[in-house]
Amino acid sequence: MALTNPMPMGPWKITVYDQEYFQGRRMEFTNSCQNIMECGMDNIRSLKVECGAWVGYEHSSFCGQQFVLERGDYPRWEAWSGSNAYHIERMMSFRPICSASQKESKMMLFEGENFTGRQWEICDDYPSLQAMGWCNNEIGSMQVQSGAWVCYQFPGYRGYQYIMECDCHGGEYKHYREWGTHAQTFQIQSIRRIQH
């Protein structure tokens, strides 16, 4: 039985398989799964997102590298980590991104930690922050005012992924350590909205 976190009912549905190309044992979820091993699978090797946006994690308990999972088919691990500079064949937990269903997305970027220094409000996708006027390849802190975002380590939506949501941390990410358990640097060079 999957451990679930209480959350509002929503339009979320994901089907996971323990073999590549949608083979083997199959399970459907409409809510969070904290540890796929508790469901009798040793790993997720393919999946289909039928409704909503989700975030998958390398380890159980929503830890490790994050992978944004939007509507569509993911026949092998490359499909969810292919744009990631660090290929990870493991996904052990996942959850819906509730705030991705909001119609508007707005976030404030800050040059320094704890919302200090130069700031920039964004409400659109940016494949290269530097090309759009951000002066360096790092962001010190962020305030997500609405919606959900995925931030990438490198331009062109590549590298480590960090999911930022208005309904997590109160939308406040004061330091890179709050971006995820795998975050080791302030480096972010591209950002896009997560919508479904």
Side-chain angles (χ1 to χ4, degrees):
M1 182 87 162
L3 293 178
T4 59
N5 293 335
M7 64 185 341
M9 290 301 294
W12 300 290
K13 185 177 179 187
I14 188 171
T15 305
V16 300
Y17 301 81
D18 68 354
Q19 300 298 318
E20 295 179 346
Y21 299 102
F22 318 114
Q23 300 296 311
R25 185 157 183 215
R26 168 186 181 263
M27 297 188 77
E28 291 182 0
F29 293 85
T30 57
N31 211 331
S32 302
C33 175
Q34 191 171 357
N35 186 350
I36 197 66
M37 292 180 81
E38 292 179 2
C39 299
M41 291 185 180
D42 67 342
N43 194 3
I44 296 168
R45 292 186 175 82
S46 58
L47 61 93
K48 294 181 180 189
V49 175
E50 298 172 49
C51 197
W54 297 72
V55 56
Y57 295 86
E58 174 185 10
H59 301 296
S60 61
S61 301
F62 315 117
C63 294
Q65 286 194 50
Q66 302 170 7
F67 309 102
V68 65
L69 304 168
E70 294 165 296
R71 188 180 191 115
D73 294 352
Y74 298 81
R76 296 188 71 222
W77 63 272
E78 294 101 337
W80 63 73
S81 72
S83 65
N84 194 331
Y86 313 98
H87 297 290
I88 299 294
E89 296 184 38
R90 183 177 181 97
M91 186 184 303
M92 301 300 291
S93 57
F94 52 87
R95 64 175 178 78
I97 303 173
C98 300
S99 55
S101 62
Q102 295 184 0
K103 297 204 182 319
E104 183 181 298
S105 298
K106 191 187 312 183
M107 180 165 58
M108 188 71 72
L109 308 178
F110 294 86
E111 191 173 33
E113 301 171 35
N114 299 309
F115 317 119
T116 61
R118 193 179 121 200
Q119 61 187 43
W120 186 23
E121 184 179 274
I122 64 172
C123 56
D124 205 353
D125 301 344
Y126 292 91
S128 171
L129 290 174
Q130 290 76 22
M132 300 305 291
W134 190 251
C135 63
N136 59 37
N137 65 2
E138 295 182 343
I139 294 174
S141 51
M142 295 173 253
Q143 285 181 329
V144 180
Q145 295 152 342
S146 59
W149 300 78
V150 57
C151 302
Y152 296 86
Q153 183 180 10
F154 301 121
Y157 311 124
R158 298 177 300 110
Y160 284 130
Q161 301 175 26
Y162 309 105
I163 311 304
M164 309 294 175
E165 303 165 81
C166 66
D167 55 3
C168 290
H169 299 281
E172 295 187 347
Y173 298 86
K174 299 175 184 178
H175 191 276
Y176 75 82
R177 288 186 296 270
E178 295 177 347
W179 300 351
T181 59
H182 66 300
Q184 299 178 5
T185 176
F186 286 104
Q187 186 174 341
I188 289 180
Q189 297 183 56
S190 53
I191 297 176
R192 70 177 178 84
R193 295 163 294 169
I194 303 171
Q195 297 177 316
H196 68 88

